[in-house]
């Protein structure tokens, strides 16, 4: 293998690949990435046996070939050189790197030791845009659990039927749901699955603007295919909570406020919250406002008024201000509607 490419482009894809390697002492090959140059593309692959990624990088291919090299070594090397153009060449199981000012050899591994890139058998497929997928995932990912004690809560739930994709996440303290209505989607049978939160984070980093993403899913795995990459993840084996049953059908009060107003007041109140992160919200139909109150014994007290259209009862309740901030930030409207029970 002998290739020439821009250091900037190579560095970007190596960083992506490195995040999907594994710090495995018994299988050191999982700490590496696979460089492959064929007739028309330069591909970088990595896997930790839970996720796998393949990213293409543009460059001039002088000789085809393939080699596995330690991810951390090559990533650190590329991050610390200043030359624009870089030449990579295999020498047996080593990688020779040359720039205008540098010559380096990195010890590699035989490519046959690298795990085979997984292929999905009999997947159900559908297509959506990168913008739709990004909005759907980022809208709910903030509500998923950061703990792996309950894997189903550390995952993002997908439910697909006809032309609707329902995406949801919960950590049992809060719940987020996003509905995508896709004209081109025609799923005749219901399809549901759970994607691990860590995999969702990688997908969001990979998504580029204005591209179509083909998604294939079977019982155990899911693959996302973009214009220059493929990303595969295992699905979470578990059952997502039947959250629709706990969402109230009726509410005692409804309030509508400007998103920018409520966000700025919540951030301001966050300076004065105590250790429990408690923020009191009172929905007052007489004053036509949402009243915010909080206090901290070491900092002080704070109250503010947000103009709002309020209907129903006068209700006050305490919330975790960070949860409110996370959720409201993901709403892509000028106004936010609050529906409240006692």
């Amino acid at each position: 293998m002998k290739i020439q490419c821009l250091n900037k482009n190579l560095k970007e894809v190596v960083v992506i690949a490195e995040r999907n390697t594994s710090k495995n002492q018994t299988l050191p090959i999982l700490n590496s990435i696979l460089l492959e140059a064929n007739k028309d593309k330069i591909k970088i692959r990595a896997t930790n046996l839970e996720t796998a990624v393949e990213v293409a990088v543009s460059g001039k291919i002088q000789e085809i070939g393939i080699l596995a090299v330690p991810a951390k070594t090559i990533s650190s090397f590329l991050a610390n050189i200043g030359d624009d153009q870089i030449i990579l060449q295999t020498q047996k199981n080593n990688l020779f790197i040359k720039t205008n000012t540098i010559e380096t050899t990195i010890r590699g591994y035989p490519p046959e030791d690298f795990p085979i890139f997984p292929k999905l058998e009999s997947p159900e497929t559908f297509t959506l845009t990168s913008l739709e997928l990004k909005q759907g995932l980022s809208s709910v990912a903030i509500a998923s659990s950061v703990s792996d004690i309950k894997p189903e809560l550390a995952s993002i739930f997908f439910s697909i039927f006809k032309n609707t994709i329902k995406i949801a996440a919960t950590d049992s303290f809060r719940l987020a749901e996003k509905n995508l209505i896709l004209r081109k989607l025609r799923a005749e049978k219901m399809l549901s699955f759970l994607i691990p939160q860590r995999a969702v984070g990688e997908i969001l980093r990979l998504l580029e603007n204005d591209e179509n993403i083909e998604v294939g899913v079977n019982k155990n795995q899911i693959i996302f295919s973009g214009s220059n990459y493929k990303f595969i993840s295992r699905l979470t084996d578990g059952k997502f909570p039947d959250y629709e049953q706990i969402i109230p059908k009726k509410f005692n009060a409804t309030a509508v406020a400007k998103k920018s107003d409520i966000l700025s007041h919540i951030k301001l109140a966050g300076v004065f919250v105590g250790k429990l992160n408690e923020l009191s919200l009172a929905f007052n139909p007489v004053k036509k406002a949402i009243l915010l109150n909080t206090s901290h014994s070491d900092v002080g007290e704070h109250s503010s008024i947000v103009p709002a259209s309020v209907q129903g009862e006068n209700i006050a309740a305490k919330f975790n201000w960070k949860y409110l901030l996370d959720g409201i930030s993901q709403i892509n409207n000028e106004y936010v509607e609050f529906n409240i029970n006692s």
Side-chain angles (χ1 to χ4, degrees), residues 158-166 180-182 185-192:
F158 272 68
S159 177
I160 303 169
F161 185 60
K162 292 186 177 180
N163 67 336
T164 302
I165 300 179
K166 188 174 289 186
L180 300 176
I181 310 297
L182 307 180
L185 181 64
R186 290 291 181 270
E188 296 304 325
K189 63 179 182 179
M190 185 171 286
L191 181 67
S192 61

Side-chain angles (χ1 to χ4, degrees), residues 236-256:
T236 301
D237 185 14
K239 185 177 180 181
F240 197 71
D242 189 5
Y243 66 91
E244 293 181 333
Q245 300 298 318
I246 64 170
I247 299 177
K249 301 296 187 289
K250 295 181 180 180
F251 297 93
N252 296 343
T254 298
V256 178

Side-chain angles (χ1 to χ4, degrees), residues 77-147:
F77 174 79
L78 295 174
N80 288 285
I81 62 174
D83 300 270
D84 292 332
Q85 293 287 337
I86 184 169
I87 296 172
L88 295 89
Q89 185 175 1
T90 51
Q91 294 179 347
K92 295 185 178 180
N93 285 331
N94 298 327
L95 181 67
F96 176 70
I97 303 175
K98 183 179 180 181
T99 71
N100 290 332
T101 59
I102 298 169
E103 290 187 0
T104 299
T105 300
I106 298 176
R107 306 289 182 201
Y109 302 101
E112 55 268 22
D113 292 348
F114 197 82
I116 297 173
F117 198 76
K119 292 183 178 180
L120 268 67
E121 297 181 1
S122 305
E124 299 281 345
T125 61
F126 58 93
T127 302
L128 70 169
T129 67
S130 58
L131 180 60
E132 290 165 339
L133 184 57
K134 184 181 292 185
Q135 286 181 344
L137 292 176
S138 60
S139 294
V140 306
I142 47 96
S144 63
S145 175
V146 295
S147 170

Side-chain angles (χ1 to χ4, degrees), residues 10 15 19 33 49 61 76 89 92 103 138 147 185 195 197 231 247:
L10 183 62
V15 167
R19 288 198 301 264
I33 61 174
L49 301 184
I61 301 170
S76 299
Q89 185 175 1
K92 295 185 178 180
E103 290 187 0
S138 60
S147 170
L185 181 64
I195 306 176
Q197 183 201 47
F231 179 83
I247 299 177

Side-chain angles (χ1 to χ4, degrees), residues 113-323:
D113 292 348
F114 197 82
I116 297 173
F117 198 76
K119 292 183 178 180
L120 268 67
E121 297 181 1
S122 305
E124 299 281 345
T125 61
F126 58 93
T127 302
L128 70 169
T129 67
S130 58
L131 180 60
E132 290 165 339
L133 184 57
K134 184 181 292 185
Q135 286 181 344
L137 292 176
S138 60
S139 294
V140 306
I142 47 96
S144 63
S145 175
V146 295
S147 170
D148 291 330
I149 295 175
K150 292 184 177 180
E152 65 275 12
L153 299 186
S155 303
I156 309 300
F157 174 70
F158 272 68
S159 177
I160 303 169
F161 185 60
K162 292 186 177 180
N163 67 336
T164 302
I165 300 179
K166 188 174 289 186
I167 309 173
T170 181
D171 58 4
S172 77
F173 294 100
R174 52 184 169 166
L175 166 74
E177 181 191 74
K178 175 77 171 180
N179 289 319
L180 300 176
I181 310 297
L182 307 180
R183 294 178 181 176
K184 296 181 180 180
L185 181 64
R186 290 291 181 270
E188 296 304 325
K189 63 179 182 179
M190 185 171 286
L191 181 67
S192 61
F193 50 87
L194 288 165
I195 306 176
Q197 183 201 47
R198 292 176 184 174
V200 168
E202 287 304 313
I203 297 164
L204 288 170
R205 292 187 185 100
L206 282 167
L207 291 175
E208 299 175 0
N209 295 327
D210 302 323
E211 66 172 353
N212 288 327
I213 309 297
E214 184 179 278
V215 183
V217 59
N218 63 14
K219 185 178 180 182
N220 302 312
Q221 292 178 309
I222 188 167
I223 181 170
F224 296 84
S225 301
S227 54
N228 291 311
Y229 61 85
K230 293 179 180 177
F231 179 83
I232 294 178
S233 171
R234 291 188 184 220
L235 296 176
T236 301
D237 185 14
K239 185 177 180 181
F240 197 71
D242 189 5
Y243 66 91
E244 293 181 333
Q245 300 298 318
I246 64 170
I247 299 177
K249 301 296 187 289
K250 295 181 180 180
F251 297 93
N252 296 343
T254 298
V256 178
K258 200 169 184 179
K259 176 185 172 182
S260 57
D261 289 346
I262 193 71
L263 279 180
S264 63
H265 280 265
I266 290 174
K267 290 176 183 177
L268 186 60
V271 176
F272 298 89
V273 297
K275 294 180 180 179
L276 297 178
N277 290 321
E278 286 186 345
L279 171 63
S280 176
L281 267 62
F283 301 87
N284 193 311
V286 176
K287 293 185 178 181
K288 296 182 179 179
I290 301 173
L291 313 178
L292 287 74
N293 286 281
T294 188
S295 64
H296 191 296
S297 58
D298 297 330
V299 180
E301 298 178 356
H302 172 79
S303 63
S304 60
I305 299 174
V306 180
S309 170
V310 183
Q311 296 180 341
E313 300 176 13
N314 187 345
I315 298 177
K318 291 183 179 180
F319 300 93
N320 184 311
W321 76 280
K322 291 183 178 179
Y323 289 176

